[in-house]
Amino acid sequence: MTLLKVLVTHLGPVDVERNLEHLAALAPGPVLVCHGGRREDFDALSHPSRVFLEHPGLRGAAATHQSYDEALAAAWHDHLATDPALSGVLVLEFDQIPLRDDFETQLVELMDRHAIDFIGKDCVDRTNTNWWHRVRYRDDPELLAHLRELSVRDDPTTIYGCLGTGFAVRRAALEAMVAVTPPENVYNELYLPTLAHHLGFRVGSVDDLGPLYDHVRWAPPFAVEEALALQRDGVAVIHPFKTIAELDRLRLAVT
Amino acid sequence: MLPLWVRRPLVRIAPEIRCTRCGRPLFRGWAFVSRGQVKVLGADDVLVRVDFDTTSRLGFRHVEMSHCIRERP
């Protein structure tokens, strides 16, 4: 199973190149750079597969209205639709860092073994939880109407959620998801796994299946010494890691 | 909503609510009825799932499995 890596970043060209070098060493394969930062930084990129994300939510306050619909649409229309060798996508924010060269293999194995179409960090039914985003949207008339219209499930009000980085989607699910016109301003961590579920696809959580994402968290960031120690302990991937200038230390430790 | 200077000390002395799946503490909290709804003071800062585990008792569980110590495949 070959996944197109969708690298979501807002950083300058030097740091984007550092991310790409790291991925080439530890998670080789095709990469689409999706840039949600400044236009001049995007224009300075040299990576051939890239798209500038216009959605204003990406430039707003954290954890509010971020949307990856453009990124997933670009991944499908510009790559998967014309390349049958690609089995799906793996969305990685710039600060999710593989520490071993079998990270992607382990993730794909989980998807294959458990027949999962959309997999992510803590990607679970969050309907009966106090998850802030579920509380925000529980009575949103636009979202509820949207789900009622497209859902193939018995309960069209079920809400899923996952971390907005590190999720992977099989090609059939991606094709179906990008064919849907999303409602405005529904936060991606809620919308994407919820949409996949209601379109009839199997949604699963990495954390229900093993420890692969035990060091993928919302906060606080990992320092480089901590990351090196985790790498020595065999941890495959971490998030968040913000000191991109030190990625070469993590790469040199394994290559 | 209660102001922070009231809420924090109240939560500090509250009994522990434990995960019904793994038994580990989730948070300290008080449950009471306010304006026709059940409020759970102390639940704000943790991500939890809730349902009735008997006809009159609410059980809370971890949402994030890496916090919930139990057997995984």
Side-chain angles (χ1 to χ4, degrees), chain A residues 217-230:
Chain A
R217 64 193 184 199
W218 182 59
F222 289 95
V224 68
E225 296 304 331
E226 200 181 356
L228 285 165
L230 290 170

Side-chain angles (χ1 to χ4, degrees), chain A residues 125 128-130 207-208 214, chain B residues 43 46 48-50 64-65 72:
Chain A
D125 181 342
N128 296 323
T129 72
N130 64 346
D207 307 81
D208 281 347
D214 276 2
Chain B
V46 288
V48 292
R49 186 182 308 283
V50 65
E64 295 162 301
M65 288 310 299
R72 286 187 293 196

Side-chain angles (χ1 to χ4, degrees), chain B residues 5-71:
Chain B
W5 63 269
V6 173
R7 221 160 62 229
R8 276 202 176 134
L10 272 179
V11 167
R12 254 199 304 272
I13 61 170
E16 264 179 0
I17 309 293
R18 293 177 172 271
C19 176
T20 55
R21 181 164 45 205
C22 73
R24 296 181 83 206
L26 286 167
F27 60 96
R28 288 188 174 276
W30 300 102
F32 57 93
V33 178
S34 168
R35 296 178 188 172
Q37 295 184 312
V38 177
K39 187 154 178 72
V40 182
L41 193 67
D44 309 70
D45 297 327
V46 288
L47 183 54
V48 292
R49 186 182 308 283
V50 65
D51 55 16
F52 278 100
D53 60 5
T54 72
T55 54
S56 60
R57 186 177 66 198
L58 291 171
F60 292 80
R61 283 182 283 155
H62 287 104
V63 173
E64 295 162 301
M65 288 310 299
S66 55
H67 298 322
C68 198
I69 298 176
R70 64 174 184 121
E71 289 299 313

Side-chain angles (χ1 to χ4, degrees), chain A residues 199-218:
Chain A
L199 289 173
F201 294 99
R202 189 172 159 90
V203 176
S205 174
V206 177
D207 307 81
D208 281 347
L209 306 173
L212 180 63
Y213 274 13
D214 276 2
H215 296 88
V216 172
R217 64 193 184 199
W218 182 59

Side-chain angles (χ1 to χ4, degrees), chain A residues 3-254:
Chain A
L3 298 176
L4 171 71
K5 255 85 67 192
V6 176
L7 174 64
V8 182
T9 182
H10 64 284
L11 300 177
V14 171
D15 281 338
V16 173
E17 196 52 43
R18 287 179 173 132
N19 269 130
L20 289 169
E21 279 172 12
H22 192 84
L23 285 178
L26 293 182
V31 180
L32 170 65
V33 174
C34 293
H35 202 282
R38 301 185 315 163
R39 185 79 210 199
E40 51 265 45
D41 286 331
F42 172 77
D43 289 340
L45 296 177
S46 59
H47 187 69
S49 293
R50 61 186 188 274
V51 64
F52 186 68
L53 304 179
E54 304 274 0
H55 196 283
L58 293 168
R59 295 160 182 86
T64 50
H65 299 293
Q66 282 70 16
S67 164
Y68 286 165
D69 298 329
E70 282 174 286
L72 295 180
W76 174 259
H77 293 296
D78 299 343
H79 294 270
L80 275 82
T82 53
D83 186 353
L86 292 172
S87 314
V89 296
L90 168 58
V91 177
L92 294 172
E93 291 179 348
F94 72 97
D95 54 354
Q96 178 164 353
I97 306 298
L99 299 181
R100 291 167 56 112
D101 61 6
D102 63 349
F103 145 65
E104 192 176 335
T105 305
Q106 290 190 50
L107 184 67
V108 166
E109 201 176 278
L110 290 178
M111 291 180 82
D112 285 344
R113 199 182 327 140
H114 300 280
I116 293 171
D117 302 305
F118 185 113
I119 196 168
K121 167 73 181 175
D122 288 320
C123 191
V124 295
D125 181 342
R126 299 198 181 198
T127 312
N128 296 323
T129 72
N130 64 346
W131 188 42
W132 165 233
H133 300 296
R134 184 252 157 195
V135 171
R136 280 170 74 192
Y137 288 103
R138 63 187 292 270
D139 293 325
D140 185 282
E142 195 183 353
L143 176 63
L144 292 176
H146 177 72
L147 296 178
R148 257 194 316 271
E149 192 179 327
L150 60 78
S151 182
V152 300
R153 303 289 185 177
D154 291 338
D155 183 356
T157 65
T158 300
I159 295 292
Y160 272 73
C162 71
L163 193 63
T165 180
F167 64 90
V169 191
R170 287 187 192 275
R171 72 179 293 126
L174 181 66
E175 182 178 15
M177 290 169 68
V178 301
V180 172
T181 303
E184 287 290 321
N185 295 324
V186 181
Y187 186 51
N188 63 354
E189 291 188 351
L190 179 151
Y191 183 63
L192 295 176
T194 299
L195 176 63
H197 169 74
H198 285 293
L199 289 173
F201 294 99
R202 189 172 159 90
V203 176
S205 174
V206 177
D207 307 81
D208 281 347
L209 306 173
L212 180 63
Y213 274 13
D214 276 2
H215 296 88
V216 172
R217 64 193 184 199
W218 182 59
F222 289 95
V224 68
E225 296 304 331
E226 200 181 356
L228 285 165
L230 290 170
Q231 192 174 51
R232 284 191 294 272
D233 287 343
V235 169
V237 61
I238 58 172
H239 171 274
F241 180 85
K242 302 291 188 185
T243 49
I244 304 301
E246 298 195 278
L247 276 182
D248 55 348
R249 291 184 61 189
L250 298 174
R251 194 164 61 256
L252 289 171
V254 291

